Amino acid sequence: MKKNLNGKIAIIFGVLLVCLYGIFGIPKGVTGAAITSAITQRIHLGLDLRGGAHLVLQVHVKDAVRADADNTVARIEQDLQTNHLTFTQVVPNPDSPHIITVSGIDPTKSSDVRNELSDRYGVEYDIASLSGGNGFTLTMKPSLLADLESKAVDQSIDTIRDRVDQLGVSEPEIQRYGLGENQILVELPGIDNLDRVSDIIQSTSRLEVHEVTGDPQGYASEQEALTSVNGSLPPDELILHGDSQGITSDSQDHVFRLKRVSIVGGRDFRDASAIDSSDTGRQGVNFVLTNAGGERFYDYTSTHIHTYMAIVLGSRVKNVAIINGAIRDNGQIEGQFSKEQIETLSFTLRTGALPASITQLEARTVGASLGSDSIKQGVVAAVAGMLAVMVFMLIYYRGAGINADLALFLNLVILLGFMGYSHATLTLPGIAGVILTIGMGVDSNVLIFERIREEMRAGKGPAQAVDQGFAHAWITIVDTHVTTIVSAAILFMFGTGPVKGFAVTLTFGLLANLFTAVFVSRVIFDSHVNHKLAGQKLSI
């Protein structure tokens, strides 16, 4: 018995040392500042404690649907031309891009066109005849449409996370926000420059290369651009506003006519780096395309030498460049960019473009002073509550109160050790989770102590009373803890930042509580009983 007890005591001290390392690591000194620095490096504070930026973003999933529809339009045109099936135009609905219209087909070839469309696109689209019989509509199936919209949000989250990681922000919170509203929550602890964050978010727009169909220097207005095509824009073109870097040196807004389907898009860019041609006074970006994107870019540039292409970032033309030769998988984008514009462009290309445009619905900062006050108040509340409970246990349960106090202290050490190893974020609700854990730890001890008292009142000796008391309380303690852990898991799955912080500390605290209330407390009781002389009563 004593040998087993020594082994259990060794386990407790081992867990204590491991958890202390999880909290402090190896401090660079023994001063208060060094200890505080060691703790803050291992236990990260949440946005509500440390301060930072809070943003809610809206993903315009229609952009992703429109891009997919544009690619489908290009494929349909190519398929019909390959099979010598004539048509007037293939265009997506401007307001509902998941609907594509194929019109102006030869009535005698209607069945051939339908068979071709059904064979190649019947899995993804529902196909119906136009009134009059000279065309068809392809409507994207609801399951595919929902999947496309969902992926657009997921890819946006991944892209924003990559960019935030490159900014060196630790413990960012980037996740879906709301239910089915295509919104993203971004919380960046320690970031107090909201304008800088907004610039980064704004630069996460889609990046594409389009063929310039009108004047490469642009037009002064949309009306002038429309006048150049007799007032009616061709269905395969679009009009975008933008700058004129690379063509003229003025800073006025210009309007450009572009091919609707892009040559290469954001997913085709693999890497990018800024270049500084100080001898020519021009700056730009070196870019590298993926293999598939490079082949497509080579096919286009080799057949369009001395024509113009536009670099489109978001919904604006950022640069118009002339094609001087065939480009395969790497090239340069040059123009009269500022240093900041170059850094932003290379940053965007390097981290990938968003599949859809986004807008900010909410942007605010949480002040560090508020976080500091919250930490002080939370720590004071936790320490005061813990001391009050410890004093009560000593008064009410006498010698056994020491047992409960040691278990509570070890419970707190294990909880913080968990936080240090898992790099979980401590939030203000997380501190509430710590306090709740202390309460449940006391509740477990009270349950055990009262069971032991009942056994002693029934006339049993200390060893038998302790044994029966733990045996009777064990099931109840496990039941209450498991149900609470399940509730905390649900909070973690469906909650956001601070709520997740509460769920994390509550879960870790309850797991530690099971260990201290059942195992540690039992070892202390057994050790005490082993050293008691025959006839001595248990102080409880």
Side-chain angles (χ1 to χ4, degrees):
M1 175 69 179
K2 189 171 182 180
K3 183 179 179 180
N4 291 337
L5 197 58
N6 289 337
K8 293 177 180 177
I9 292 173
I11 291 175
I12 294 172
F13 274 102
V15 170
L16 178 62
L17 291 175
V18 170
C19 290
L20 286 174
Y21 180 78
I23 298 171
F24 299 102
I26 301 177
K28 296 180 180 178
V30 293
T31 63
I35 298 296
T36 302
S37 175
I39 294 175
T40 54
Q41 285 181 1
R42 299 188 68 85
I43 299 178
H44 300 287
L45 301 180
L47 188 72
D48 52 352
L49 296 179
R50 186 181 174 188
H54 169 97
L55 302 100
V56 177
L57 309 174
Q58 178 72 54
V59 182
H60 298 284
V61 294
K62 266 191 175 181
D63 289 347
V65 178
R66 186 173 290 108
D68 188 86
D70 287 341
N71 289 330
T72 303
V73 165
R75 287 160 48 204
I76 292 174
E77 290 177 341
Q78 185 175 3
D79 291 340
L80 295 181
Q81 289 169 354
T82 301
N83 291 281
H84 307 291
L85 299 170
T86 58
F87 61 94
T88 302
Q89 63 178 18
V90 182
V91 290
N93 187 310
D95 298 324
S96 303
H98 64 288
I99 301 175
I100 297 172
T101 302
V102 181
S103 59
I105 63 173
D106 183 351
T108 62
K109 298 288 186 180
S110 178
S111 60
D112 294 338
V113 173
R114 182 171 193 120
N115 291 336
E116 178 68 19
L117 295 176
S118 297
D119 290 343
R120 293 188 174 275
Y121 307 99
V123 176
E124 300 175 346
Y125 288 84
D126 293 322
I127 301 171
S129 300
L130 285 175
S131 60
N134 67 336
F136 298 94
T137 59
L138 290 80
T139 304
M140 190 179 291
K141 292 185 176 180
S143 58
L144 177 62
L145 181 61
D147 184 59
L148 203 59
E149 293 176 346
S150 178
K151 284 182 178 177
V153 178
D154 291 339
Q155 290 172 3
S156 298
I157 291 174
D158 291 340
T159 303
I160 293 173
R161 182 174 290 113
D162 288 343
R163 297 182 176 215
V164 169
D165 287 345
Q166 291 214 5
L167 289 174
V169 179
S170 62
E171 298 294 318
E173 188 77 26
I174 305 168
Q175 61 185 12
R176 285 176 178 266
Y177 184 70
L179 297 175
E181 297 177 346
N182 303 319
Q183 295 178 0
I184 298 174
L185 172 69
V186 179
E187 292 188 340
L188 307 175
I191 298 295
D192 56 2
N193 188 343
L194 194 58
D195 291 337
R196 172 61 177 161
V197 174
S198 297
D199 288 342
I200 294 298
I201 296 299
Q202 292 295 332
S203 72
T204 58
S205 302
R206 297 174 60 203
L207 188 144
E208 295 175 328
V209 179
H210 288 257
E211 177 183 340
V212 178
T213 55
D215 188 342
Q217 297 192 32
Y219 302 91
S221 65
E222 291 189 12
Q223 184 58 45
E224 186 176 317
L226 289 173
T227 301
S228 68
V229 285
N230 299 320
S232 178
L233 190 69
D236 61 340
E237 292 189 13
L238 56 83
I239 287 179
L240 291 179
H241 290 251
D243 309 319
S244 58
Q245 290 97 336
I247 302 298
T248 62
S249 59
D250 66 76
S251 58
Q252 297 178 357
D253 181 75
H254 290 254
V255 177
F256 296 90
R257 282 177 40 221
L258 311 174
K259 278 286 187 183
R260 181 178 296 279
V261 179
S262 63
I263 306 168
V264 290
R267 298 177 188 174
D268 298 313
F269 289 93
R270 189 173 61 191
D271 194 13
S273 59
I275 57 174
D276 185 0
S277 302
S278 56
D279 54 336
T280 62
R282 297 170 68 86
Q283 293 183 321
V285 174
N286 272 326
F287 64 83
V288 181
L289 296 175
T290 61
N291 292 336
E295 289 299 323
R296 197 162 62 253
F297 202 45
Y298 177 80
D299 291 341
Y300 177 82
T301 54
S302 61
T303 56
H304 291 77
I305 294 175
H306 298 149
T307 62
Y308 291 87
M309 61 182 181
I311 312 298
V312 178
L313 190 61
S315 58
R316 285 187 67 81
V317 175
K318 300 302 293 184
N319 179 244
V320 175
I322 188 170
I323 301 173
N324 289 318
I327 306 171
R328 187 177 293 277
D329 59 355
N330 63 75
Q332 294 180 356
I333 300 172
E334 290 187 344
Q336 295 178 346
F337 295 104
S338 67
K339 185 177 181 181
E340 184 177 349
Q341 287 174 319
I342 287 295
E343 290 177 350
T344 300
L345 184 56
S346 61
F347 185 77
T348 304
L349 291 173
R350 192 166 55 249
T351 55
L354 289 168
S357 61
I358 57 175
T359 55
Q360 290 183 5
L361 299 180
E362 182 182 343
R364 60 184 171 86
T365 57
V366 178
S369 59
L370 176 61
S372 177
D373 293 341
S374 299
I375 293 174
K376 290 178 181 176
Q377 294 171 2
V379 170
V380 168
V383 171
M386 188 168 179
L387 288 176
V389 168
M390 293 173 77
V391 170
F392 171 80
M393 297 298 284
L394 286 174
I395 294 174
Y396 194 74
Y397 290 107
R398 294 171 290 180
I402 299 174
N403 184 331
D405 290 349
L406 288 174
L408 281 177
F409 175 74
L410 186 57
N411 191 358
L412 186 61
V413 172
I414 293 174
L415 169 58
L416 295 178
F418 270 133
M419 301 286 290
Y421 281 113
S422 65
H423 301 296
T425 302
L426 181 63
T427 62
L428 186 59
I431 294 177
V434 174
I435 296 173
L436 180 58
T437 298
I438 293 172
M440 292 196 67
V442 173
D443 184 61
S444 299
N445 281 291
V446 168
L447 188 62
I448 293 170
F449 293 171
E450 291 301 322
R451 287 289 189 180
I452 293 175
R453 279 183 168 181
E454 288 178 3
E455 298 298 330
M456 292 179 67
R457 283 196 289 268
K460 294 179 181 176
Q464 194 175 10
V466 169
D467 187 58
Q468 292 297 313
F470 274 93
H472 291 154
W474 160 252
I475 297 299
T476 305
I477 293 173
V478 171
D479 181 59
T480 56
H481 281 65
V482 168
T483 53
T484 310
I485 287 174
V486 171
S487 302
I490 294 173
L491 282 178
F492 184 83
M493 286 190 292
F494 297 102
T496 56
V499 177
K500 276 191 173 182
F502 173 78
V504 167
T505 55
L506 183 60
T507 302
F508 286 164
L510 292 174
L511 292 174
N513 200 26
L514 279 175
F515 176 72
T516 57
V518 177
F519 183 80
V520 176
S521 183
R522 178 63 186 270
V523 170
I524 296 174
F525 267 116
D526 288 343
S527 177
H528 182 61
V529 170
N530 282 346
H531 289 83
K532 290 186 70 65
L533 299 175
Q536 281 187 321
K537 293 184 178 179
L538 196 63
S539 177
I540 186 169

